[in-house]
Amino acid sequence: MTRGVWLASIAFLWLFAAADTAQGGGCQSNQTYVAWRGPVSADASNPMVGRNDCWYQTMDDAANDALYYLRTNIMSFDIPNLETLGFHNRTGTIPVPQWEANHMERDQRHRMLSSLAALPDGLGDGVATMSVPLALQTKTNYPWTDDLTRDMFFEYVLNYANANEARTNWRPFFTHALNQTMSLLLQQRQQQNRTVEMKKVVKLVNLKLWTLLGKSCSKVGVNGCVEVEYDESFKIPIWFKSGQTPLVYDPMSVVAFGYASCTGISIVLVNALRAVGVPARLVGTPAWNGIPENGNHNWIEVYLKNQWHFMEGSPAAGDSENLDKNPCDHWFCNRKSFGPGTHTRVYASRLDQSVSDFYPMAWDPDNHDVPGEDRTDDYRSVCGQC
């Protein structure tokens, strides 16, 4: 690092520390630097330690680390599609191991992103590479991301996958769809001199999302729109239709058809929350009481105030679901499913390949390649008392 770069870094850190103190201790990012809460991640590229439990990276370093995280934690069934996702073997642009990257010059370490951008006809673009800048942009745009650790952000905001749904380019579409709603929320809170709580963001997204992504129809039949009318006054929200997984459960199929069952509704909501910087994940049971004939169910969890809270997408819940709802008011949260002597097991989907469990999928029971986290004990402790 040259003396000039070192002095510039010190100056930026001083400015960040002043901003963080002024806003009450949050770790605030801008277009040049990304701020993270908590201990410095061991594999971080060129971290700079600040004040108030904050540390910083340049946007370029954060982007390089983000793409490296996605590549090293790719699900096994996605490996044949590495280049389609944006990881290009033939150009030598797969991220290098972090220990090696730390000993490379800056221009060499970031050759991956520059090489991707240089490929003609959009060939360097992929779901992964498109996710990185848009995900990191939430750190700049939305103050509720200020207190997230890098590990939490990478696993539950940056992540473009939930289970084995089709890998589609949903993030730009969802980001655009929610942009005006988030901007109005920020403006209102600023005028009221109030901070924006993540709980409020979750409630607003679940309230507005389904109409924002809905179809403009002049006539609706049992299978959705019969006649399309490009008039917002005829917009039909996305609705719940049972038995659609695995026919309709990736996010763009749900938008195209205008409906989904619990899995598709949950994946859409998880992705929408990630698009605005809220950590969220898919969770569910492959079989009530361990018996496949009893059916299955999927819902979501949102990370708020250092713990996971569960909820459903409004079309699946049948009401304007939010995190203030009493857990026992969810139809599935009861002693019949989670009380003593029951055998219902609950898992949350993950991306991190180091976790020991897998996420069981009722529609693909022999597929054990989606990492999972066993959440059974937590649901027994809460729902078993209802």
Side-chain angles (χ1 to χ4, degrees):
M1 181 180 292
T2 66
R3 178 177 174 82
V5 173
W6 180 80
L7 290 173
S9 299
I10 294 297
F12 268 110
L13 287 176
W14 185 88
L15 290 172
F16 267 119
D20 293 341
T21 300
Q23 70 165 355
C27 301
Q28 191 173 29
S29 303
N30 64 25
Q31 295 292 339
T32 306
Y33 281 79
V34 179
W36 304 110
R37 170 70 75 188
V40 177
S41 299
D43 62 346
S45 297
N46 302 320
M48 294 170 283
V49 180
R51 296 169 54 187
N52 299 324
D53 198 30
C54 303
W55 61 280
Y56 307 91
Q57 291 182 287
T58 65
M59 188 65 75
D60 284 347
D61 282 332
N64 188 59
D65 286 357
L67 198 55
Y68 177 81
Y69 185 85
L70 294 177
R71 170 61 185 90
T72 54
N73 289 289
I74 195 167
M75 296 182 193
S76 60
F77 48 75
D78 285 329
I79 290 176
N81 298 315
L82 275 175
E83 295 197 41
T84 300
L85 291 172
F87 306 109
H88 292 269
N89 283 313
R90 58 187 172 81
T91 58
T93 52
I94 287 182
V96 297
Q98 195 62 42
W99 64 267
E100 181 182 341
N102 288 338
H103 293 83
M104 297 173 66
E105 293 297 326
R106 178 186 176 88
D107 60 339
Q108 289 178 300
R109 285 192 296 105
H110 296 286
R111 63 188 170 82
M112 173 180 61
L113 296 179
S114 61
S115 295
L116 293 178
L119 290 175
D121 300 324
L123 296 178
D125 296 334
V127 170
T129 50
M130 292 296 289
S131 289
V132 170
L134 287 173
L136 289 175
Q137 194 64 44
T138 65
K139 289 287 294 171
T140 301
N141 292 348
Y142 302 132
W144 51 85
T145 66
D146 290 352
D147 289 328
L148 296 179
T149 66
R150 197 192 73 155
D151 292 347
M152 177 62 64
F153 185 89
F154 278 11
E155 181 76 358
Y156 300 112
V157 177
L158 171 70
N159 185 359
Y160 56 82
N162 290 275
N164 65 342
E165 75 276 12
R167 306 305 191 221
T168 55
N169 193 28
W170 57 265
R171 196 179 295 264
F173 188 83
F174 282 32
T175 298
H176 177 75
L178 290 164
N179 181 62
Q180 185 176 10
T181 299
M182 294 298 103
S183 296
L184 289 174
L185 174 63
L186 289 170
Q187 290 174 14
Q188 292 171 358
R189 284 298 192 264
Q190 188 175 29
Q191 292 169 358
Q192 299 167 356
N193 197 26
R194 296 171 60 186
T195 59
V196 182
E197 295 183 353
M198 192 176 287
K199 183 187 294 187
K200 173 68 175 178
V201 177
V202 174
K203 181 178 181 179
L204 187 62
V205 169
N206 200 18
L207 179 66
K208 300 288 188 179
L209 174 68
W210 314 105
T211 298
L212 289 172
L213 298 182
K215 286 187 173 184
S216 296
C217 301
S218 58
K219 185 177 181 182
V220 180
V222 294
N223 292 315
C225 290
V226 176
E227 297 177 8
V228 176
E229 177 66 47
Y230 295 101
D231 185 331
E232 291 299 309
S233 63
F234 294 106
K235 205 158 192 179
I236 305 300
I238 289 174
W239 51 287
F240 177 84
K241 183 178 181 181
S242 63
Q244 294 306 299
T245 307
L247 291 174
V248 181
Y249 76 115
D250 75 87
M252 299 311 290
S253 289
V254 175
V255 172
F257 282 90
Y259 55 76
S261 50
C262 61
T263 304
I265 294 295
S266 298
I267 287 176
V268 167
L269 182 55
V270 166
N271 290 356
L273 292 172
R274 290 176 178 176
V276 296
V278 175
R281 63 187 185 184
L282 181 69
V283 63
T285 179
W288 294 115
N289 273 301
I291 303 173
E293 289 74 19
N294 288 348
N296 66 90
H297 190 47
N298 281 293
W299 55 96
I300 83 162
E301 289 183 339
V302 178
Y303 193 75
L304 180 68
K305 296 182 178 179
N306 299 317
Q307 62 179 327
W308 290 101
H309 302 262
F310 69 91
M311 62 182 292
E312 292 187 281
S314 289
D319 58 25
S320 55
E321 179 92 347
N322 62 75
L323 294 175
D324 291 323
K325 187 173 183 176
N326 186 324
C328 295
D329 289 338
H330 291 88
W331 67 267
F332 58 86
C333 187
N334 51 56
R335 290 175 61 86
K336 180 180 178 181
S337 298
F338 295 104
T342 57
H343 301 285
T344 300
R345 303 203 64 82
V346 177
Y347 295 86
S349 69
R350 297 288 304 271
L351 184 65
D352 185 353
Q353 294 295 309
S354 69
V355 299
S356 57
D357 273 317
F358 65 91
Y359 182 77
M361 297 173 285
W363 60 94
D364 197 357
D366 293 329
N367 186 338
H368 297 174
D369 293 333
V370 178
E373 179 179 328
D374 193 334
R375 300 282 292 146
T376 304
D377 290 344
D378 295 87
Y379 282 87
R380 285 177 178 172
S381 67
V382 173
C383 299
Q385 308 303 315
C386 295

